[in-house]
Amino acid sequence: MGASPDRIGDEVPRMFSRIAARYDLTNRVLSGLRDRAWRRALVRAAAPRPGERVLDVGTGTGDLLLEFRYREPSLRLWGLDLSRGMLAVAQNKLKRSGLRGSIALVEGDALRLPFPSSAFDVVAIAFGLRNLPHPLQGLREMARVLRPGGRLLVLEFSLPRSAWLRGLYGLYLKHWVPRVGGWLAGDRPAYEYLCRSIHEFPAPDQIAAWMAEAGLRRVSVQALTGGIVHLYRGERETYPSSSAPLAASSASCRRRRA
Ligand SMILES: C[S@@+](CC[C@H](N)C(=O)[O-])C[C@H]1O[C@@H](n2cnc3c(N)ncnc32)[C@H](O)[C@@H]1O
């Protein structure tokens, strides 16, 4: 499942506020500079059109918002996060790049999005779903604020399918990630939590099934970088699920490999 409910009250956002100042640097180092490529893959899959409204849930330091903006300058962008520390870093970053005025940053909870239904054309969440105490509820909320036919994109860590790669990656998570997180971000427990949360998070097929349960159809799953990250895409159904002739199901999921 996601972060255990007793962690979420304040604990997870507080943990992110503690590491906010060094979050980007630690990400770049731990991912071997792949994290930008993963976010760009999400933006490509979202295929945003000029003037569309895009919400980035768990925006953190705003890197995904910037990727959307680089791809299509006319997008109307919102970034939401529960951590003030992460939002402060995002705000400074947007200010430095001269973009602050055209992107709204909102403090709020992914499980109770402060937006009306059908407000967005695209909703995205990068490395945030795993941190929610109720990922399915989060997906339902994200589906709610999407207009019918709108696209939901999820980027999330996962364990590779291949046994030997999984073994190697397990060693990397256990021995290297907490050490580097301790050195660079000064918070080894936060990076121990990262490793634990990756191990505990359900497999890609389960995430795809949750997306279908949340009311998304044409759900597709793409493995990135040997399967240590997966990119999920779905579209909000255009009819109420009760009147759907055939509810979207995990059987309709398409898997793709990068
Ligand atoms: C691993 S970071 C990902 C940040 C960013 N999306 C990225 O690509 O680097 C997860 C983010 O989710 C936020 N978060 C955790 N729980 C949340 C919640 N319930 N509502 C909104 N944001 C939340 C954290 O504060 C953190 O900024």
Side-chain angles (χ1 to χ4, degrees), residues 57-206:
V57 177
T59 191
T61 60
D63 276 353
L64 186 61
L65 290 172
L66 286 174
E67 295 298 344
F68 270 108
R69 175 46 46 93
Y70 296 145
R71 162 98 184 198
E72 176 49 66
S74 70
L75 292 174
R76 287 171 287 165
L77 298 168
W78 282 259
L80 173 133
D81 205 287
L82 208 44
S83 156
R84 282 189 192 169
M86 294 291 264
L87 287 173
V89 173
Q91 196 161 20
N92 282 334
K93 202 192 287 183
L94 298 179
K95 192 174 167 187
R96 280 199 308 276
S97 51
L99 295 172
R100 191 173 53 154
S102 55
I103 302 178
L105 293 175
V106 180
E107 186 181 335
D109 188 349
L111 301 184
R112 282 183 298 272
L113 291 172
F115 303 104
S117 300
S118 307
F120 296 97
D121 304 289
V122 174
V123 175
I125 181 165
F127 309 110
L129 192 65
R130 186 177 26 87
N131 293 293
L132 303 182
H134 303 290
L136 175 57
Q137 190 183 327
L139 289 170
R140 285 200 175 109
E141 261 302 86
M142 291 182 248
R144 178 185 67 77
V145 299
L146 266 182
R147 67 161 167 81
R151 292 90 77 201
L152 175 66
L153 287 302
V154 178
L155 198 55
E156 194 46 270
F157 288 118
S158 44
L159 297 172
R161 285 191 150 198
S162 139
W164 70 268
L165 209 55
R166 203 182 177 98
L168 271 182
Y169 188 56
L171 291 174
Y172 168 78
L173 287 178
K174 185 171 175 195
H175 297 292
W176 189 240
V177 170
R179 192 166 297 170
V180 173
W183 288 335
L184 293 181
D187 196 328
R188 190 181 169 112
Y191 287 84
E192 285 167 348
Y193 160 78
L194 167 68
C195 301
R196 217 171 36 250
S197 67
I198 294 173
H199 278 291
E200 288 171 2
F201 201 56
D205 288 348
Q206 176 64 64

Side-chain angles (χ1 to χ4, degrees), residues 2-68:
S4 54
D6 54 340
R7 291 208 65 135
I8 193 62
D10 288 330
E11 185 55 25
V12 168
R14 259 199 269 128
M15 179 190 78
F16 278 105
S17 288
R18 281 201 313 270
I19 61 171
R22 309 299 291 280
Y23 175 83
D24 287 350
L25 171 68
T26 314
N27 263 357
R28 303 293 183 269
V29 171
L30 285 176
S31 73
L33 300 177
R34 292 300 298 160
D35 62 315
R36 279 201 69 187
W38 294 331
R39 291 191 195 87
R40 277 196 215 120
L42 181 155
V43 172
R44 269 197 308 278
R49 294 184 279 272
E52 283 194 318
R53 300 152 301 171
V54 178
L55 170 65
D56 176 20
V57 177
T59 191
T61 60
D63 276 353
L64 186 61
L65 290 172
L66 286 174
E67 295 298 344
F68 270 108

